Amino acid sequence: MNIMIDTPVMVEDKGLRVPLASGQTGYFNYFWLRDNCPSSFDSETRERTFDIFHLDKPPHPQKAELAADGLSVVWNDGHVSTYSMEFLESYATGERRKDPADMPRRAWFGDHYATVARFSQPKLMADKTEVARWIEALLTEGVAVVTDMPDSHEGLTETVRLIGHVRPTFFGDFFDVRTHIKPTNLAYTAKALEMHTDTPAEDMAPGMQFLHCRANSVEGGLNLFLDGMAVANDLHREDPEAFRLLSETDIPYYCEHDHYDMRARQRVIELDEHGEVSGVTISQHMADIFDLPQEFLDDYYPAFCKFGRLLQSDKYMMRFRLNASECIVFDNHRIVHGRAAYSATSGERYLRGCYSDRGEMRSAYRAIMSEGRFK
Ligand SMILES: [Fe+2]
């Protein structure tokens, strides 16, 4: 039964109906209202300090009315809450909270190198607005080049710190790509490196990858990069069933040597909360033996190979030489990279790399660009 208390707010069994400025009537659940009373949040720590699990009985209003400063509710435990109408309006439809870091991605193709976004490291260090532009490029295109890097380990660390923290993997905090005497990874040889994303055998493969070129005077060794999202979107148009298989099936990846045995399952095509392609995970040298029903593989393998062949196509492949003092930064879940073979005796080639986190980068962007809920 509905009881009218001080029209026009309607007190119902489980929630209130409140007239909003939009002309609509908003419905608000009592638990939600009680939980999100402005007094629930500590202004200093900005954390929720109210704990709804400790209420003796379900929240119910003794009184609810519109006042000059918004909706006022007197609760059955005696607590009084006041909610601004703007606040109620913004949560009335159940739509997700707006996220400034949720930007449409722009697919790019093999001719992209001339237009890759470039940012000078000293400028980034001095200007937060420039950092925001850099993150925008990484969110929309998944790749950007930072130029004028200091020729030091610290130069890389301080650059990462602009958008997050160095995110360790089972290889450690940093890795050095040059020819190793006893290589445990193809990257540490002068051989060609097929197109891949990094460390898919990790539970949470790292998000943003940094490759800081400290020296590159060898013959060959061209960098190969492509936009995995562009390839996956084309596959979606050409072969929706192959796309479905690759975006719904977890396949095993591994990385095994004397002292480690990393294993994780990943989908080759990753979709975001809008159902759009947000990334890919691919690595022939780390794909484990598929432990899936053999009949299912009748369908899966052709789809997998179709995608793998598309990844070889010139349409997508950006070929370029990364120069000393440049650092390429890219989304390891979206950008597929590789390297042409080089002659190890023709000069020096040294790339120092590390990772940071996609989510932390989005956080850095929001902190620069938006007011948040507490400012
Ligand atoms: Fe790699």
mmCIF file with all atom_site columns, all heavy atoms in Angstrom, residues 196 198 209 337, ligand 1:
data_model
loop_
_atom_site.group_PDB
_atom_site.id
_atom_site.type_symbol
_atom_site.label_atom_id
_atom_site.label_alt_id
_atom_site.label_comp_id
_atom_site.label_asym_id
_atom_site.label_entity_id
_atom_site.label_seq_id
_atom_site.pdbx_PDB_ins_code
_atom_site.Cartn_x
_atom_site.Cartn_y
_atom_site.Cartn_z
_atom_site.occupancy
_atom_site.B_iso_or_equiv
_atom_site.pdbx_formal_charge
_atom_site.auth_seq_id
_atom_site.auth_comp_id
_atom_site.auth_asym_id
_atom_site.auth_atom_id
_atom_site.pdbx_PDB_model_num
ATOM   1  N  N   . HIS A 1 196 ? 53.133 -10.653 -31.220 1.00 0.00 ? 196 HIS A N   1
ATOM   2  C  CA  . HIS A 1 196 ? 52.624 -11.166 -29.937 1.00 0.00 ? 196 HIS A CA  1
ATOM   3  C  C   . HIS A 1 196 ? 52.219 -10.032 -29.009 1.00 0.00 ? 196 HIS A C   1
ATOM   4  O  O   . HIS A 1 196 ? 52.572 -8.876  -29.220 1.00 0.00 ? 196 HIS A O   1
ATOM   5  C  CB  . HIS A 1 196 ? 53.714 -12.006 -29.256 1.00 0.00 ? 196 HIS A CB  1
ATOM   6  C  CG  . HIS A 1 196 ? 54.895 -11.166 -28.832 1.00 0.00 ? 196 HIS A CG  1
ATOM   7  N  ND1 . HIS A 1 196 ? 55.877 -10.774 -29.706 1.00 0.00 ? 196 HIS A ND1 1
ATOM   8  C  CD2 . HIS A 1 196 ? 55.217 -10.609 -27.638 1.00 0.00 ? 196 HIS A CD2 1
ATOM   9  C  CE1 . HIS A 1 196 ? 56.767 -10.034 -29.074 1.00 0.00 ? 196 HIS A CE1 1
ATOM   10 N  NE2 . HIS A 1 196 ? 56.395 -9.900  -27.817 1.00 0.00 ? 196 HIS A NE2 1
ATOM   11 N  N   . ASP A 1 198 ? 52.544 -9.389  -24.672 1.00 0.00 ? 198 ASP A N   1
ATOM   12 C  CA  . ASP A 1 198 ? 53.484 -9.909  -23.673 1.00 0.00 ? 198 ASP A CA  1
ATOM   13 C  C   . ASP A 1 198 ? 52.814 -10.663 -22.524 1.00 0.00 ? 198 ASP A C   1
ATOM   14 O  O   . ASP A 1 198 ? 51.702 -10.320 -22.110 1.00 0.00 ? 198 ASP A O   1
ATOM   15 C  CB  . ASP A 1 198 ? 54.305 -8.756  -23.080 1.00 0.00 ? 198 ASP A CB  1
ATOM   16 C  CG  . ASP A 1 198 ? 55.522 -8.435  -23.941 1.00 0.00 ? 198 ASP A CG  1
ATOM   17 O  OD1 . ASP A 1 198 ? 55.562 -8.852  -25.105 1.00 0.00 ? 198 ASP A OD1 1
ATOM   18 O  OD2 . ASP A 1 198 ? 56.435 -7.755  -23.423 1.00 0.00 ? 198 ASP A OD2 1
ATOM   19 N  N   . GLN A 1 209 ? 52.759 -1.116  -21.766 1.00 0.00 ? 209 GLN A N   1
ATOM   20 C  CA  . GLN A 1 209 ? 54.157 -1.520  -21.913 1.00 0.00 ? 209 GLN A CA  1
ATOM   21 C  C   . GLN A 1 209 ? 55.005 -0.333  -22.366 1.00 0.00 ? 209 GLN A C   1
ATOM   22 O  O   . GLN A 1 209 ? 54.579 0.468   -23.207 1.00 0.00 ? 209 GLN A O   1
ATOM   23 C  CB  . GLN A 1 209 ? 54.278 -2.658  -22.918 1.00 0.00 ? 209 GLN A CB  1
ATOM   24 C  CG  . GLN A 1 209 ? 55.716 -3.107  -23.096 1.00 0.00 ? 209 GLN A CG  1
ATOM   25 C  CD  . GLN A 1 209 ? 55.903 -4.444  -23.780 1.00 0.00 ? 209 GLN A CD  1
ATOM   26 O  OE1 . GLN A 1 209 ? 57.022 -4.863  -24.017 1.00 0.00 ? 209 GLN A OE1 1
ATOM   27 N  NE2 . GLN A 1 209 ? 54.817 -5.130  -24.085 1.00 0.00 ? 209 GLN A NE2 1
ATOM   28 N  N   . HIS A 1 337 ? 52.907 -6.749  -31.134 1.00 0.00 ? 337 HIS A N   1
ATOM   29 C  CA  . HIS A 1 337 ? 54.213 -6.261  -31.580 1.00 0.00 ? 337 HIS A CA  1
ATOM   30 C  C   . HIS A 1 337 ? 55.157 -7.427  -31.869 1.00 0.00 ? 337 HIS A C   1
ATOM   31 O  O   . HIS A 1 337 ? 54.962 -8.552  -31.399 1.00 0.00 ? 337 HIS A O   1
ATOM   32 C  CB  . HIS A 1 337 ? 54.814 -5.294  -30.564 1.00 0.00 ? 337 HIS A CB  1
ATOM   33 C  CG  . HIS A 1 337 ? 55.103 -5.930  -29.228 1.00 0.00 ? 337 HIS A CG  1
ATOM   34 N  ND1 . HIS A 1 337 ? 54.124 -6.228  -28.319 1.00 0.00 ? 337 HIS A ND1 1
ATOM   35 C  CD2 . HIS A 1 337 ? 56.264 -6.328  -28.678 1.00 0.00 ? 337 HIS A CD2 1
ATOM   36 C  CE1 . HIS A 1 337 ? 54.663 -6.784  -27.258 1.00 0.00 ? 337 HIS A CE1 1
ATOM   37 N  NE2 . HIS A 1 337 ? 55.966 -6.875  -27.436 1.00 0.00 ? 337 HIS A NE2 1
HETATM 38 FE FE  . FE  B 2 .   ? 57.183 -8.354  -26.439 1.00 0.00 ? 1   FE  B FE  1
#
